[in-house]
Amino acid sequence: AFMLSASYCSMSGNCFTLNSMLDVGKWPVFALLPPEELRLIRQACVFGSAANEALYVTVNDEVFALGTNCSGCLGLGDLQSTIEPRRIDVLCGKKIVSLSYGTGPHVVIATADGEVFAWGHNGYSQLGNGTTNHGLTPALVSTNLLSKRVTEVACGSHHTIALTTDGEVYAWGYNNSGQVGSGSTANQPTPRRVSSCLQNKVVVNIACGQLCSMAVLDNGEIYGWGYNCNGQLGLGNNGNQQTPCRIAALQGVNIIQVACGYAHTLALTDEGFVYAWGANSYGQLGTGNKSNQALPTLINTDKERMVEVAACHTSHTSAAKTQSGQVLMWGQCRGQAVASPHLTHFSSTDDVFACFATPAVTWHLLSVDGDDYLTVAQSLKKEFDSPEISDLKFLVDGKCIHVHKALLKIRCEHFRALLNETDEDAIEIHQFSYLVYRAFLEYLYTDTINLPPEDAIGLLDLATFYRETRLKRLCQETIKRGISEENAITLLSAAVKYEARDLEEFCFKFCVNHLTAVTQTQAFADMDHDLLKNFISKASRYGAFKN
């Protein structure tokens, strides 16, 4: 799969930073989208039995869908599959704040205005419109919700729950195990408030397993209802519940977030601990074994404080993120049962589901973090060689490089001295080439260099001249990585000339190890007399000429 990073380069080589782009590179369903389309994505969701359906929202608030369109789940008004994205006109401009999907699949969203739209599979009335006809286009879910503002939606396999700004929960759809919380097992054709012991309570977070529902209260209590044969309600027994039941075992523990897998549940406390309960045949509880747990079990996360738990009702995979940004995963990981939290190199829990869940679907709506925020490093990189607020330009080989005096003074002793003595707004440079000087200035803005080894020699010369020790080291690393039989003598000569001892030693050893090939190159034939003499005597001390 392609990678989509925070910046991309145009053909001319100028770098533009678009930090507010969503990285969907790990989700194969997006692999056919052209880069110019990928750059516009701000929110995305991947779902379906084989992760073969996708919805995404662009920077212009347009909503697109692509995939197999099973049960009309793409909301396009027909059952046609599409490999090219098609726009869902009715959702454009709606500003989606929450999205969830079932296994039918049916899809439910909440908008910034608090409205709920649903479409797709409806065999159990999971669209909440009172019928069992599939919905081919997004339709407003209105019964009992018209005067309410919904902030979050969650779907089980064939039921839906919604959370309002008042902290009320509404539920509808499939109810064979009591997952709608109505006190019966009759399917619920339209939204119904989940009351009984939630009557006067304020719910702040919701989640659904395949056939159960969970709710976290503002006081840190957690309630569950529905299917419980694997202990996923955390009540210490295996009986289904047709109305919400408080998890008494967590008395005195403040829960702030809940996530449900296929038949297991994860809960995060306000102190950063993680509890898990329910099915465990794939190690998805992270307890180190594969025994189901009907009561909440504290997971060993090596004393690291957790800030997020992640699971999805379509899989047996679990993930969590630490305060320092590390991501752990456990459970079913690409067919392997991982029974204890495993440290990954990922930067988000989303990556765990993209790379290791089966199917590899999103556990929540993927969204760009924050608004168009740039870090200090990103901001500086963006302004390099940009004339807009530049107050100094260098003229090298007839070309301009735009920079900022303050930054050069902060970053380089040479410029601090030079610019304190002059208030010129243009300086001509004759000693170095445009390529080398631009690379040097860019390094001051980015801390990195990007040059082929032969050009890095010129930069090594400059780094030596300006006494830039770190840059000198970077150049040496670049040269080492690019050494070959053809250029080894050239690089050795440069190392000697610029007194780069470590590099000289490296190039010399390479030449000795590839002596036959190196002595047949043009560079060897043209070698400076003193250097050649020096090279031969040193090589003989190394025993290079012994049979």
Side-chain angles (χ1 to χ4, degrees):
F2 50 81
M3 262 317 293
L4 196 60
S5 68
S7 64
Y8 68 93
C9 287
S10 72
M11 295 313 284
S12 66
N14 296 324
C15 257
F16 306 98
T17 299
L18 281 185
N19 82 298
S20 55
M21 175 166 56
L22 184 65
D23 177 1
V24 292
K26 292 190 176 75
W27 306 91
V29 70
F30 290 109
L32 280 179
L33 265 61
E36 55 274 16
E37 182 71 9
L38 291 167
R39 286 198 278 276
L40 301 176
I41 297 179
R42 293 297 175 273
Q43 289 174 304
C45 170
V46 177
F47 60 105
S49 58
N52 45 6
E53 320 281 2
L55 298 170
Y56 65 89
V57 184
T58 68
V59 64
N60 317 316
D61 262 323
E62 290 189 305
V63 183
F64 291 88
L66 70 156
T68 54
N69 205 9
C70 189
S71 307
C73 65
L74 296 185
L76 296 165
D78 56 46
L79 292 165
Q80 286 303 120
S81 71
T82 175
I83 202 160
E84 299 253 319
R86 285 170 58 193
R87 195 168 63 189
I88 310 175
D89 292 328
V90 59
L91 294 182
C92 292
K94 288 275 185 228
K95 293 209 182 323
I96 299 173
V97 294
S98 177
L99 181 152
S100 191
Y101 53 83
T103 44
H106 74 290
V107 182
V108 184
I109 63 160
T111 69
D113 294 334
E115 293 181 321
V116 176
F117 289 84
W119 63 96
H121 194 285
N122 197 30
Y124 303 91
S125 301
Q126 60 262 53
L127 300 186
N129 60 15
T131 77
T132 51
N133 306 327
H134 296 337
L136 297 184
T137 49
L140 187 66
V141 182
S142 52
T143 308
N144 294 331
L145 293 180
L146 278 182
S147 61
K148 304 287 176 185
R149 287 179 66 106
V150 170
T151 55
E152 192 181 351
V153 289
C155 298
S157 64
H158 301 287
H159 77 288
T160 308
I161 65 176
L163 175 63
T164 70
T165 47
D166 308 326
E168 298 175 344
V169 177
Y170 287 78
W172 58 95
Y174 194 35
N175 195 29
N176 69 330
S177 310
Q179 60 265 48
V180 167
S182 59
S184 79
T185 52
N187 292 347
Q188 177 61 39
T190 54
R192 174 194 177 279
R193 170 134 191 238
V194 181
S195 50
S196 63
C197 57
L198 288 185
Q199 185 62 47
N200 299 308
K201 307 279 203 297
V202 175
V203 174
V204 292
N205 178 228
I206 53 173
C208 292
Q210 279 278 296
L211 300 165
C212 70
S213 306
M214 305 294 302
V216 177
L217 269 52
D218 61 347
N219 65 2
E221 292 179 344
I222 181 167
Y223 286 73
W225 59 99
Y227 189 77
N228 192 30
C229 289
N230 308 98
Q232 54 263 63
L233 299 186
L235 303 172
N237 61 49
N238 292 102
N240 294 352
Q241 299 295 330
Q242 295 170 12
T243 54
C245 289
R246 183 170 71 85
I247 301 182
L250 289 174
Q251 174 76 39
V253 175
N254 253 311
I255 301 299
I256 56 170
Q257 191 217 334
V258 64
C260 294
Y262 188 93
H264 75 288
T265 309
L266 304 173
L268 176 69
T269 76
D270 61 350
E271 292 182 284
F273 295 115
V274 175
Y275 285 87
W277 58 93
N280 198 24
S281 48
Y282 298 94
Q284 60 264 50
L285 300 186
T287 52
N289 60 48
K290 294 183 188 174
S291 311
N292 290 5
Q293 298 289 339
L295 283 170
T297 306
L298 183 62
I299 304 310
N300 175 15
T301 49
D302 280 343
K303 301 186 178 60
E304 275 271 15
R305 190 184 182 119
M306 298 295 145
V307 293
E308 179 180 74
V309 285
C312 180
H313 71 80
T314 55
S315 70
H316 311 287
T317 307
S318 301
K321 189 173 187 173
T322 72
Q323 195 170 25
S324 63
Q326 293 183 309
V327 173
L328 303 167
M329 73 175 187
W330 62 96
Q332 190 178 33
C333 300
R334 285 212 160 209
Q336 278 194 64
V338 178
S340 297
H342 180 81
L343 183 61
T344 69
H345 58 268
F346 296 134
S347 57
S348 76
T349 53
D350 301 316
D351 292 351
V352 169
F353 289 84
C355 300
F356 284 96
T358 311
V361 293
T362 50
W363 72 273
H364 63 167
L365 180 66
L366 300 179
S367 295
V368 170
D369 286 339
D371 38 24
D372 298 346
Y373 175 76
L374 294 179
T375 61
V376 174
Q378 288 168 329
S379 303
L380 295 182
K381 185 175 180 177
K382 182 166 170 260
E383 288 303 325
F384 172 66
D385 203 9
S386 158
E388 199 180 342
I389 52 167
S390 145
D391 56 1
L392 175 66
K393 61 184 177 191
F394 284 97
L395 303 167
V396 196
D397 300 341
K399 294 178 202 160
C400 275
I401 308 166
H402 299 273
V403 290
H404 308 77
K405 290 178 181 175
L407 185 127
L408 298 192
K409 286 186 197 176
I410 291 168
R411 294 280 289 156
C412 175
E413 285 297 331
H414 165 78
F415 285 127
R416 182 170 294 192
L418 175 78
L419 296 172
N420 278 341
E421 289 164 15
T422 174
D423 53 4
E424 297 286 326
D425 52 12
I427 298 175
E428 280 197 58
I429 299 289
H430 301 291
Q431 194 177 343
F432 301 102
S433 71
Y434 170 77
L435 190 73
V436 163
Y437 212 74
R438 190 180 192 279
F440 168 50
L441 294 171
E442 189 169 11
Y443 159 77
L444 295 179
Y445 278 74
T446 63
D447 267 331
T448 55
I449 62 169
N450 186 14
L451 283 176
E454 288 77 3
D455 294 319
I457 292 175
L459 192 54
L460 181 62
D461 177 25
L462 183 149
T464 312
F465 182 73
Y466 285 150
R467 297 194 180 84
E468 286 287 329
T469 346
R470 183 175 175 273
L471 179 58
K472 195 168 170 177
R473 203 167 61 242
L474 274 181
C475 292
Q476 292 185 51
E477 286 308 311
T478 300
I479 293 168
K480 283 180 185 178
R481 282 200 299 270
I483 196 167
S484 67
E485 290 168 347
E486 282 67 48
N487 67 16
I489 292 290
T490 314
L491 301 183
L492 175 66
S493 313
V496 171
K497 181 176 174 187
Y498 302 122
E499 298 178 347
R501 301 270 180 266
D502 178 46
L503 180 63
E504 180 185 341
E505 196 55 31
F506 177 86
C507 293
F508 173 74
K509 280 181 181 164
F510 183 91
C511 290
V512 169
N513 291 336
H514 297 261
L515 196 62
T516 311
V518 166
T519 52
Q520 288 165 4
T521 61
Q522 190 56 47
F524 186 80
D526 300 341
M527 206 169 173
D528 167 83
H529 181 70
D530 288 342
L531 186 62
L532 179 62
K533 215 163 76 176
N534 205 339
F535 176 77
I536 290 172
S537 88
K538 194 171 171 188
S540 63
R541 284 204 302 280
Y542 259 77
F545 306 117
K546 292 188 178 126
N547 286 329

